[in-house]
Amino acid sequence: MTLLDEIPDAARELARAGRGMRALRLLDAGDADNPRIALAAAEVAMELDMRTGTSEAGARLTIAERICGPDWDVRFLRLRFDYFAQLLAGGEFAFGPDGKDPALLAELDQRAGTLAADAPDAVRAGWAHMYHGLILDNLLADRAAAPPHYAIALRAGETGGDDPLTWEALRHLGDHDRDGGDLTRARERWERATALAAGSGAVGATLAQQMLLAVMARDTGDEAGSVALAREISRWSSATGAVRLHRQAETFLAGRAVA
């Protein structure tokens, strides 16, 4: 294995640890025309944008599309980019279909299904199902249709040893458990998701999972515990530049529901 082979994975690990700009500088020091480098740069930029509110991913994704062509991984990244563009309209979370183009939402739904069917392996199919569920849940407001996709994603993540896919599926299945009144199962899923995120070195994901545990503490009457945890999340997210999560923590500490 060469140094060039190591760079994309090292950059992804840096991004998970909250060092997205450092990860991009590392990738930029490599071969700009290498498909693996271009793909990793688009992935890292998308993570950075979500965490800090920057606008790095669009240009990086366009470069990856030019270099890699109609590769499955690039098409999946484009789906993710287009999903987040709808979810974060105007820079803030905008759940549901109101104010959005129904034809565009239907296209995202169809593209997710096509990616799942065309995936080259079970883990990639699981990721496509994960985002199909998110599109149904967060853009189309079809809550009943989303959990079966998360369940497929969970099986794929567990079977394929993909911890990020596993914790994403657990996170959203736990949300549906909570909405259904099964707080015990929701807590179990969220605690496991938190441990998986921490074990993978994913600082932002770990804090986001802890935010859900703070919500759970409030749900179950432990207001002191929920506030103590949210205060630490607020401090950590501020220190690491996770601006959206910091706003969520501050909103929670003010006694309001978080998105």
Side-chain angles (χ1 to χ4, degrees):
M1 183 176 289
T2 68
L3 179 60
L4 190 58
D5 292 324
E6 291 285 344
I7 288 175
D9 288 341
R12 291 184 181 97
E13 289 181 7
L14 279 170
R16 283 198 297 269
R19 296 292 183 264
M21 292 306 299
R22 180 70 177 271
L24 288 176
R25 289 196 297 271
L26 174 63
L27 291 164
D28 288 342
D31 180 0
D33 291 325
N34 183 290
R36 290 187 62 209
I37 295 288
L39 180 66
E43 291 177 6
V44 165
M46 203 169 299
E47 167 71 20
L48 182 65
D49 287 358
M50 275 297 298
R51 189 175 64 83
T52 68
T54 55
S55 300
E56 295 280 340
R60 300 279 182 170
L61 181 53
T62 298
I63 292 170
E65 288 171 328
R66 174 178 60 80
I67 292 173
C68 301
D71 177 81
W72 189 95
D73 293 312
V74 176
R75 289 189 291 126
F76 176 62
L77 273 183
R78 174 57 69 180
L79 177 77
R80 290 180 61 199
F81 181 85
D82 292 344
Y83 162 75
F84 286 124
Q86 294 298 307
L87 182 65
L88 294 168
E92 298 295 335
F93 286 104
F95 294 100
D98 291 349
K100 301 181 176 73
D101 182 351
L104 178 55
L105 299 186
E107 182 196 25
L108 288 173
D109 184 29
Q110 183 272 329
R111 282 163 57 193
T114 298
L115 283 164
D118 293 346
D121 55 61
V123 168
R124 285 184 174 92
W127 274 110
H129 278 287
M130 185 70 229
Y131 273 82
H132 201 167
L134 292 172
I135 290 163
L136 290 165
D137 231 349
N138 295 331
L139 300 184
L140 293 169
D142 190 348
R143 293 282 286 172
H149 291 284
Y150 299 149
I152 293 171
L154 178 60
R155 288 195 297 271
E158 290 176 329
T159 303
D162 190 311
D163 285 351
L165 178 56
T166 302
W167 84 57
E168 284 285 4
L170 288 168
R171 174 183 177 85
H172 291 280
L173 284 168
D175 179 57
H176 282 265
D177 292 334
R178 176 178 179 254
D179 278 1
D182 192 343
L183 299 186
T184 299
R185 193 176 191 195
R187 184 198 297 274
E188 289 171 354
R189 292 198 202 267
W190 286 350
E191 287 177 345
R192 185 178 169 214
T194 305
L196 287 170
S200 299
V203 173
T206 302
L207 292 174
Q209 289 299 144
Q210 288 180 328
M211 192 71 250
L212 293 181
L213 293 177
V215 169
M216 179 60 66
R218 178 170 285 174
D219 284 347
T220 55
D222 183 8
E223 183 64 17
S226 73
V227 168
L229 182 53
R231 282 177 179 154
E232 291 307 307
I233 295 165
S234 177
R235 278 193 278 266
W236 276 63
S237 57
S238 177
T240 59
V243 294
R244 290 193 177 96
L245 183 58
H246 179 66
R247 285 199 296 267
Q248 284 183 325
E250 289 297 300
T251 296
F252 183 86
L253 286 168
R256 301 190 299 273
V258 298

